[in-house]
Amino acid sequence: MNTPVRLGAYVLGLAVVFGGALGVGKAVGPVAAAPADPAPGAAHTMTTPETTAGHGSSEEPAGHTGGHTEQAAADTPGGLQMSENGYTLNPLTSEIKPGEPVDYRFTVTGPDGAPVTDYQVQHDKKLHFIVVSRDLATFRHLHPSEAGGGVWSVKLTLPEAGAYRAFADFAPTGGSPLTLGTDLFVAGDYKPRPLPAASRTATVDGYTVTLDGDLVPGRASKLTLTVSKDGEPVTDLQPYLGAYGHLVALRAGDLAYLHVHPDGAPGDGRTAAGPQITFYAEVPSGGDYGLFLDFQHGDTVRTAAFTATAGAGHGDDRTDDHTEDQGDEHSDGQSGGHGH
């Protein structure tokens, strides 16, 4: 091959290489911007896409060298995967019938393939187990017991046939917090219900909870929930799992699990026992979210459920009542559903 031909082939080769690189860049998309700083005064911040877990950031897998795989993991909220960082959620119970209690069992295996038996205590528990229907109509927050050998066991009753998502929220000793998810299926006739309209008021067992604040994608947003009963503010909320309130946010559509912590804690000298509970939350995208608030009063834990739309702004002040109907199955034998 003469010199001009060889040069022409070389230039053509470069064009193919760089053209292919440009095509990959467009397919992958732009690198995500750094997360916004937490809001001033926020004691805790909701799990964001950058942290990918229920209680904090996840460690990189051993030997990971970054690149597009790292960015893809960072952009994935918790609960969308049953395996992450070498840890895997393994259901051991396959059959669930509508309305019938079942001893639901599962394990979490570690990077060595063996069931994990050593966990950090977070919010008074080693592991939090949340089950929600795909249409967000049914919500359970349960606390399994250890059956031995790394097996977890929990009494579970799901009221209707359909598709559900279960989340294990935990932190292995020496590791970072994780939220792993798996699908559950209850056999029978299934008719999905539409997501309730966005509302700033929820009622449960005679209590009224109002929501103030708006979810803004990519930015820490202040949410204040106010609890009242019979028109009077509740000022003697009881601590539950180390807080006056716990809030779980689930993105409609894929049920991305976004865990929110309250601002302040019982006994810190500044946090009142109601009627207001304040959270700082950051959601990864616009759209609808299901918000589930736990609060304890009169020795009973209850859940108030809301639909909120991220990006709607302060003009979206609809006040349709969302009456909570969480069924009869609740953890710890308490009435009213409860979240984390």
Side-chain angles (χ1 to χ4, degrees):
M1 182 181 298
N2 60 34
T3 300
V5 172
R6 287 198 300 269
L7 288 175
Y10 178 72
V11 171
L12 178 59
L14 288 178
V16 171
V17 170
F18 286 104
L22 178 60
V24 170
K26 288 183 178 179
V28 173
V31 176
D37 292 336
H44 300 282
T45 302
M46 177 182 196
T47 298
T48 67
E50 286 71 26
T51 60
T52 72
H55 292 83
S57 60
S58 302
E59 294 178 342
E60 293 182 358
H64 185 66
T65 57
H68 295 305
T69 302
E70 177 182 3
Q71 186 61 46
D75 288 341
T76 304
L80 296 180
Q81 304 177 135
M82 65 183 301
S83 184
E84 185 177 353
N85 288 2
Y87 294 88
T88 301
L89 175 59
N90 304 283
L92 301 178
T93 302
S94 58
E95 185 178 9
I96 303 175
K97 297 180 180 180
E100 296 186 14
V102 64
D103 179 18
Y104 188 84
R105 293 182 169 232
F106 62 93
T107 64
V108 175
T109 53
D112 60 358
V116 178
T117 58
D118 199 1
Y119 293 82
Q120 302 175 43
V121 174
Q122 297 186 111
H123 303 286
D124 296 340
K125 301 291 181 180
K126 292 182 179 180
L127 186 145
H128 299 264
F129 192 67
I130 290 88
V131 180
V132 62
S133 59
R134 281 282 176 182
D135 60 8
L136 293 175
T138 298
F139 178 86
R140 304 280 186 264
H141 177 192
L142 308 168
H143 295 110
S145 58
E146 294 177 273
V151 175
W152 291 93
S153 173
V154 64
K155 294 297 181 184
L156 175 64
T157 302
L158 297 177
E160 299 175 339
Y164 296 78
R165 187 74 175 169
F167 303 95
D169 190 350
F170 65 94
T173 297
S176 298
L178 291 169
T179 301
L180 303 179
T182 188
D183 285 330
L184 306 180
F185 299 98
V186 180
D189 293 334
Y190 168 55
K191 184 178 181 180
R193 284 167 283 186
L195 192 69
S199 172
R200 294 191 179 274
T201 304
T203 59
V204 54
D205 294 345
Y207 291 81
T208 299
V209 182
T210 57
L211 170 66
D212 182 54
D214 297 280
L215 296 173
V216 180
R219 192 179 79 193
S221 306
K222 181 179 179 180
L223 302 178
T224 301
L225 295 111
T226 304
V227 183
S228 63
K229 185 178 183 183
D230 300 326
E232 298 295 326
V234 175
T235 58
D236 58 343
L237 292 171
Q238 297 168 308
Y240 175 63
L241 300 176
Y244 287 127
H246 288 270
L247 188 66
V248 167
L250 295 165
R251 184 167 59 188
D254 65 357
L255 299 188
Y257 181 91
L258 304 165
H259 191 167
V260 188
H261 293 275
D263 179 20
D268 64 4
R270 67 179 182 87
T271 303
Q276 295 182 332
I277 313 169
T278 298
F279 301 87
Y280 287 90
E282 185 173 341
V283 296
S285 65
D288 291 331
Y289 290 80
L291 305 181
F292 300 90
L293 171 73
D294 291 342
F295 64 95
Q296 181 167 269
H297 189 245
D299 298 323
T300 300
V301 176
R302 298 173 174 87
T303 296
F306 298 84
T307 299
T309 302
H314 295 282
D316 185 12
D317 291 327
R318 289 175 289 177
T319 57
D320 334 359
D321 286 344
H322 178 186
T323 302
E324 180 63 19
D325 181 11
Q326 298 292 346
D328 297 323
E329 164 67 15
H330 312 288
S331 72
D332 304 329
Q334 299 166 355
S335 65
H338 51 289
H340 183 202

Short mmCIF file of all heavy atoms in Angstrom, two decimals, residues 12-65:
data_model
loop_
_atom_site.label_atom_id
_atom_site.label_comp_id
_atom_site.label_asym_id
_atom_site.label_seq_id
_atom_site.Cartn_x
_atom_site.Cartn_y
_atom_site.Cartn_z
N LEU A 12 -9.28 7.65 8.21
CA LEU A 12 -10.61 7.03 8.24
C LEU A 12 -10.80 6.25 9.55
O LEU A 12 -11.86 6.30 10.16
CB LEU A 12 -10.77 6.10 7.04
CG LEU A 12 -12.10 5.32 6.96
CD1 LEU A 12 -13.26 6.30 6.90
CD2 LEU A 12 -12.10 4.40 5.75
N GLY A 13 -9.74 5.56 9.98
CA GLY A 13 -9.83 4.81 11.25
C GLY A 13 -10.09 5.73 12.41
O GLY A 13 -10.90 5.46 13.29
N LEU A 14 -9.39 6.89 12.48
CA LEU A 14 -9.62 7.86 13.54
C LEU A 14 -11.06 8.36 13.52
O LEU A 14 -11.71 8.54 14.56
CB LEU A 14 -8.65 9.04 13.43
CG LEU A 14 -7.20 8.77 13.78
CD1 LEU A 14 -6.37 10.03 13.55
CD2 LEU A 14 -7.07 8.32 15.22
N ALA A 15 -11.56 8.63 12.34
CA ALA A 15 -12.93 9.13 12.22
C ALA A 15 -13.91 8.12 12.79
O ALA A 15 -14.86 8.47 13.48
CB ALA A 15 -13.26 9.43 10.75
N VAL A 16 -13.69 6.83 12.55
CA VAL A 16 -14.58 5.80 13.08
C VAL A 16 -14.52 5.76 14.60
O VAL A 16 -15.53 5.68 15.29
CB VAL A 16 -14.21 4.43 12.48
CG1 VAL A 16 -14.98 3.32 13.19
CG2 VAL A 16 -14.52 4.42 10.98
N VAL A 17 -13.28 5.82 15.15
CA VAL A 17 -13.12 5.75 16.60
C VAL A 17 -13.81 6.92 17.28
O VAL A 17 -14.61 6.76 18.19
CB VAL A 17 -11.61 5.71 16.97
CG1 VAL A 17 -11.45 5.89 18.47
CG2 VAL A 17 -11.00 4.40 16.50
N PHE A 18 -13.53 8.16 16.88
CA PHE A 18 -14.12 9.33 17.53
C PHE A 18 -15.60 9.44 17.25
O PHE A 18 -16.37 9.88 18.09
CB PHE A 18 -13.37 10.60 17.11
CG PHE A 18 -12.04 10.72 17.75
CD1 PHE A 18 -10.87 10.46 17.05
CD2 PHE A 18 -11.94 11.08 19.08
CE1 PHE A 18 -9.64 10.56 17.66
CE2 PHE A 18 -10.70 11.19 19.70
CZ PHE A 18 -9.54 10.93 18.98
N GLY A 19 -16.02 9.05 16.04
CA GLY A 19 -17.46 9.04 15.76
C GLY A 19 -18.18 8.07 16.66
O GLY A 19 -19.24 8.35 17.18
N GLY A 20 -17.56 6.89 16.89
CA GLY A 20 -18.17 5.92 17.80
C GLY A 20 -18.22 6.44 19.21
O GLY A 20 -19.20 6.27 19.92
N ALA A 21 -17.16 7.14 19.66
CA ALA A 21 -17.16 7.70 21.01
C ALA A 21 -18.24 8.73 21.16
O ALA A 21 -18.92 8.81 22.19
CB ALA A 21 -15.78 8.31 21.30
N LEU A 22 -18.46 9.58 20.15
CA LEU A 22 -19.51 10.59 20.22
C LEU A 22 -20.87 9.93 20.32
O LEU A 22 -21.73 10.34 21.09
CB LEU A 22 -19.44 11.48 18.97
CG LEU A 22 -20.52 12.59 18.86
CD1 LEU A 22 -20.41 13.53 20.05
CD2 LEU A 22 -20.36 13.33 17.55
N GLY A 23 -21.06 8.84 19.54
CA GLY A 23 -22.34 8.13 19.61
C GLY A 23 -22.59 7.56 20.98
O GLY A 23 -23.70 7.62 21.51
N VAL A 24 -21.57 7.00 21.65
CA VAL A 24 -21.73 6.47 23.00
C VAL A 24 -22.08 7.58 23.96
O VAL A 24 -22.94 7.45 24.82
CB VAL A 24 -20.44 5.75 23.45
CG1 VAL A 24 -20.51 5.42 24.92
CG2 VAL A 24 -20.23 4.49 22.62
N GLY A 25 -21.42 8.74 23.84
CA GLY A 25 -21.72 9.86 24.73
C GLY A 25 -23.17 10.29 24.64
O GLY A 25 -23.82 10.55 25.64
N LYS A 26 -23.72 10.33 23.42
CA LYS A 26 -25.11 10.73 23.28
C LYS A 26 -26.03 9.67 23.84
O LYS A 26 -27.08 9.98 24.40
CB LYS A 26 -25.41 10.97 21.80
CG LYS A 26 -24.77 12.24 21.23
CD LYS A 26 -25.16 12.46 19.79
CE LYS A 26 -24.56 13.76 19.24
NZ LYS A 26 -24.91 13.98 17.84
N ALA A 27 -25.66 8.40 23.71
CA ALA A 27 -26.52 7.34 24.22
C ALA A 27 -26.57 7.34 25.73
O ALA A 27 -27.60 7.14 26.34
CB ALA A 27 -26.03 5.98 23.71
N VAL A 28 -25.40 7.54 26.37
CA VAL A 28 -25.33 7.52 27.82
C VAL A 28 -25.95 8.77 28.41
O VAL A 28 -26.60 8.74 29.45
CB VAL A 28 -23.86 7.38 28.28
CG1 VAL A 28 -23.75 7.54 29.78
CG2 VAL A 28 -23.32 6.03 27.84
N GLY A 29 -25.78 9.92 27.79
CA GLY A 29 -26.34 11.17 28.30
C GLY A 29 -25.31 11.94 29.09
O GLY A 29 -24.23 11.45 29.40
N PRO A 30 -25.66 13.16 29.46
CA PRO A 30 -24.72 14.01 30.19
C PRO A 30 -24.48 13.50 31.59
O PRO A 30 -25.32 12.82 32.17
CB PRO A 30 -25.43 15.37 30.22
CG PRO A 30 -26.88 15.03 30.10
CD PRO A 30 -26.93 13.83 29.20
N VAL A 31 -23.32 13.81 32.14
CA VAL A 31 -23.01 13.45 33.52
C VAL A 31 -23.88 14.28 34.43
O VAL A 31 -24.03 15.48 34.26
CB VAL A 31 -21.52 13.71 33.82
CG1 VAL A 31 -21.21 13.43 35.27
CG2 VAL A 31 -20.65 12.85 32.90
N ALA A 32 -24.45 13.63 35.46
CA ALA A 32 -25.35 14.35 36.36
C ALA A 32 -24.59 15.40 37.14
O ALA A 32 -23.43 15.24 37.50
CB ALA A 32 -26.02 13.36 37.32
N ALA A 33 -25.29 16.50 37.43
CA ALA A 33 -24.70 17.57 38.24
C ALA A 33 -24.58 17.11 39.68
O ALA A 33 -25.27 16.22 40.14
CB ALA A 33 -25.57 18.82 38.16
N ALA A 34 -23.70 17.76 40.42
CA ALA A 34 -23.53 17.44 41.84
C ALA A 34 -24.81 17.76 42.58
O ALA A 34 -25.51 18.70 42.25
CB ALA A 34 -22.37 18.25 42.43
N PRO A 35 -25.16 16.98 43.65
CA PRO A 35 -26.38 17.23 44.39
C PRO A 35 -26.33 18.56 45.10
O PRO A 35 -25.26 19.05 45.49
CB PRO A 35 -26.42 16.06 45.39
CG PRO A 35 -25.00 15.62 45.52
CD PRO A 35 -24.38 15.87 44.19
N ALA A 36 -27.50 19.16 45.29
CA ALA A 36 -27.57 20.44 46.00
C ALA A 36 -27.21 20.23 47.46
O ALA A 36 -27.40 19.16 48.04
CB ALA A 36 -29.00 21.00 45.89
N ASP A 37 -26.69 21.29 48.10
CA ASP A 37 -26.36 21.22 49.52
C ASP A 37 -27.64 21.06 50.31
O ASP A 37 -28.69 21.58 49.96
CB ASP A 37 -25.65 22.50 49.97
CG ASP A 37 -24.28 22.60 49.35
OD1 ASP A 37 -23.71 21.54 48.99
OD2 ASP A 37 -23.76 23.73 49.21
N PRO A 38 -27.59 20.34 51.46
CA PRO A 38 -28.77 20.18 52.30
C PRO A 38 -29.28 21.54 52.76
O PRO A 38 -28.53 22.50 52.90
CB PRO A 38 -28.26 19.34 53.48
CG PRO A 38 -27.03 18.67 52.96
CD PRO A 38 -26.42 19.62 51.97
N ALA A 39 -30.58 21.59 53.03
CA ALA A 39 -31.16 22.83 53.50
C ALA A 39 -30.59 23.20 54.86
O ALA A 39 -30.27 22.33 55.66
CB ALA A 39 -32.68 22.68 53.61
N PRO A 40 -30.43 24.51 55.14
CA PRO A 40 -29.87 24.92 56.42
C PRO A 40 -30.70 24.36 57.57
O PRO A 40 -31.93 24.38 57.54
CB PRO A 40 -29.95 26.45 56.36
CG PRO A 40 -30.02 26.77 54.90
CD PRO A 40 -30.74 25.63 54.27
N GLY A 41 -30.01 23.86 58.58
CA GLY A 41 -30.69 23.38 59.76
C GLY A 41 -31.20 21.96 59.64
O GLY A 41 -31.77 21.42 60.59
N ALA A 42 -31.02 21.32 58.52
CA ALA A 42 -31.53 19.96 58.35
C ALA A 42 -30.61 18.98 59.07
O ALA A 42 -29.43 18.90 58.80
CB ALA A 42 -31.60 19.60 56.87
N ALA A 43 -31.20 18.23 60.01
CA ALA A 43 -30.40 17.26 60.73
C ALA A 43 -30.10 16.04 59.88
O ALA A 43 -29.07 15.42 59.98
CB ALA A 43 -31.13 16.84 62.01
N HIS A 44 -31.07 15.68 59.04
CA HIS A 44 -30.90 14.54 58.15
C HIS A 44 -31.50 14.90 56.81
O HIS A 44 -32.38 15.73 56.73
CB HIS A 44 -31.60 13.30 58.70
CG HIS A 44 -31.09 12.88 60.04
ND1 HIS A 44 -29.92 12.20 60.22
CD2 HIS A 44 -31.60 13.07 61.29
CE1 HIS A 44 -29.73 11.97 61.50
NE2 HIS A 44 -30.73 12.48 62.17
N THR A 45 -31.05 14.24 55.79
CA THR A 45 -31.58 14.48 54.45
C THR A 45 -32.02 13.19 53.83
O THR A 45 -31.40 12.15 54.03
CB THR A 45 -30.50 15.14 53.57
OG1 THR A 45 -30.08 16.35 54.19
CG2 THR A 45 -31.05 15.46 52.19
N MET A 46 -33.08 13.28 53.08
CA MET A 46 -33.61 12.12 52.37
C MET A 46 -32.54 11.48 51.50
O MET A 46 -31.68 12.13 50.96
CB MET A 46 -34.76 12.63 51.50
CG MET A 46 -35.41 11.63 50.63
SD MET A 46 -36.67 12.50 49.70
CE MET A 46 -37.59 11.11 49.13
N THR A 47 -32.64 10.18 51.38
CA THR A 47 -31.76 9.47 50.46
C THR A 47 -31.97 9.98 49.05
O THR A 47 -33.08 10.07 48.57
CB THR A 47 -32.08 7.96 50.49
OG1 THR A 47 -31.82 7.49 51.79
CG2 THR A 47 -31.22 7.22 49.51
N THR A 48 -30.90 10.33 48.39
CA THR A 48 -30.96 10.89 47.05
C THR A 48 -30.45 9.88 46.05
O THR A 48 -29.90 8.84 46.42
CB THR A 48 -30.09 12.16 46.97
OG1 THR A 48 -28.73 11.76 47.11
CG2 THR A 48 -30.46 13.15 48.06
N PRO A 49 -30.58 10.16 44.76
CA PRO A 49 -30.03 9.22 43.79
C PRO A 49 -28.54 9.01 43.95
O PRO A 49 -28.02 7.98 43.58
CB PRO A 49 -30.35 9.89 42.44
CG PRO A 49 -31.49 10.80 42.72
CD PRO A 49 -31.29 11.25 44.13
N GLU A 50 -27.84 10.02 44.52
CA GLU A 50 -26.39 9.87 44.67
C GLU A 50 -26.03 8.89 45.76
O GLU A 50 -24.93 8.36 45.81
CB GLU A 50 -25.75 11.23 44.96
CG GLU A 50 -25.69 12.15 43.76
CD GLU A 50 -27.05 12.68 43.36
OE1 GLU A 50 -27.93 12.76 44.21
OE2 GLU A 50 -27.22 13.00 42.17
N THR A 51 -26.95 8.68 46.75
CA THR A 51 -26.62 7.79 47.85
C THR A 51 -27.12 6.38 47.63
O THR A 51 -26.58 5.44 48.18
CB THR A 51 -27.23 8.32 49.16
OG1 THR A 51 -28.64 8.38 49.01
CG2 THR A 51 -26.69 9.69 49.50
N THR A 52 -28.17 6.21 46.85
CA THR A 52 -28.69 4.91 46.40
C THR A 52 -29.08 3.97 47.52
O THR A 52 -29.16 2.78 47.32
CB THR A 52 -27.68 4.19 45.49
OG1 THR A 52 -26.58 3.71 46.27
CG2 THR A 52 -27.18 5.08 44.39
N ALA A 53 -29.33 4.44 48.74
CA ALA A 53 -29.69 3.54 49.81
C ALA A 53 -30.68 4.21 50.72
O ALA A 53 -30.91 5.40 50.67
CB ALA A 53 -28.45 3.12 50.59
N GLY A 54 -31.27 3.38 51.63
CA GLY A 54 -32.30 3.91 52.50
C GLY A 54 -31.77 4.84 53.56
O GLY A 54 -32.47 5.73 54.02
N HIS A 55 -30.54 4.66 54.03
CA HIS A 55 -30.03 5.46 55.15
C HIS A 55 -28.72 6.16 54.85
O HIS A 55 -28.17 6.82 55.72
CB HIS A 55 -29.83 4.56 56.38
CG HIS A 55 -31.08 4.05 56.95
ND1 HIS A 55 -31.72 2.94 56.47
CD2 HIS A 55 -31.88 4.50 57.96
CE1 HIS A 55 -32.83 2.71 57.18
NE2 HIS A 55 -32.94 3.65 58.07
N GLY A 56 -28.18 6.02 53.70
CA GLY A 56 -26.91 6.69 53.44
C GLY A 56 -26.31 6.19 52.16
O GLY A 56 -26.89 5.44 51.41
N SER A 57 -25.08 6.63 51.91
CA SER A 57 -24.44 6.28 50.63
C SER A 57 -23.91 4.86 50.66
O SER A 57 -23.56 4.32 51.68
CB SER A 57 -23.28 7.25 50.36
OG SER A 57 -22.34 7.18 51.38
N SER A 58 -23.84 4.29 49.49
CA SER A 58 -23.34 2.92 49.34
C SER A 58 -21.88 2.94 48.93
O SER A 58 -21.44 3.81 48.22
CB SER A 58 -24.16 2.18 48.27
OG SER A 58 -25.52 2.17 48.61
N GLU A 59 -21.15 1.92 49.38
CA GLU A 59 -19.75 1.81 48.98
C GLU A 59 -19.67 1.28 47.56
O GLU A 59 -20.55 0.60 47.07
CB GLU A 59 -19.03 0.85 49.93
CG GLU A 59 -18.95 1.38 51.36
CD GLU A 59 -18.27 0.36 52.25
OE1 GLU A 59 -18.19 -0.81 51.85
OE2 GLU A 59 -17.82 0.74 53.33
N GLU A 60 -18.55 1.57 46.88
CA GLU A 60 -18.34 1.02 45.56
C GLU A 60 -17.97 -0.45 45.68
O GLU A 60 -17.33 -0.87 46.64
CB GLU A 60 -17.20 1.76 44.86
CG GLU A 60 -17.54 3.21 44.54
CD GLU A 60 -16.39 3.88 43.82
OE1 GLU A 60 -15.36 3.21 43.63
OE2 GLU A 60 -16.52 5.06 43.46
N PRO A 61 -18.35 -1.25 44.71
CA PRO A 61 -17.90 -2.65 44.71
C PRO A 61 -16.39 -2.73 44.63
O PRO A 61 -15.73 -1.87 44.05
CB PRO A 61 -18.56 -3.23 43.45
CG PRO A 61 -19.67 -2.28 43.11
CD PRO A 61 -19.21 -0.93 43.58
N ALA A 62 -15.82 -3.78 45.20
CA ALA A 62 -14.38 -3.97 45.18
C ALA A 62 -13.88 -4.02 43.74
O ALA A 62 -14.46 -4.67 42.88
CB ALA A 62 -14.01 -5.27 45.91
N GLY A 63 -12.79 -3.31 43.50
CA GLY A 63 -12.18 -3.32 42.19
C GLY A 63 -12.86 -2.43 41.18
O GLY A 63 -12.49 -2.44 40.01
N HIS A 64 -13.85 -1.64 41.64
CA HIS A 64 -14.57 -0.78 40.70
C HIS A 64 -13.68 0.38 40.27
O HIS A 64 -12.99 0.98 41.07
CB HIS A 64 -15.83 -0.25 41.40
CG HIS A 64 -16.70 0.55 40.48
ND1 HIS A 64 -17.34 -0.01 39.41
CD2 HIS A 64 -17.02 1.87 40.47
CE1 HIS A 64 -18.04 0.91 38.79
NE2 HIS A 64 -17.86 2.06 39.42
N THR A 65 -13.71 0.69 39.00
CA THR A 65 -12.80 1.73 38.48
C THR A 65 -13.54 2.93 37.93
O THR A 65 -12.96 3.75 37.25
CB THR A 65 -11.91 1.14 37.38
OG1 THR A 65 -12.73 0.58 36.35
CG2 THR A 65 -11.00 0.04 37.95
#
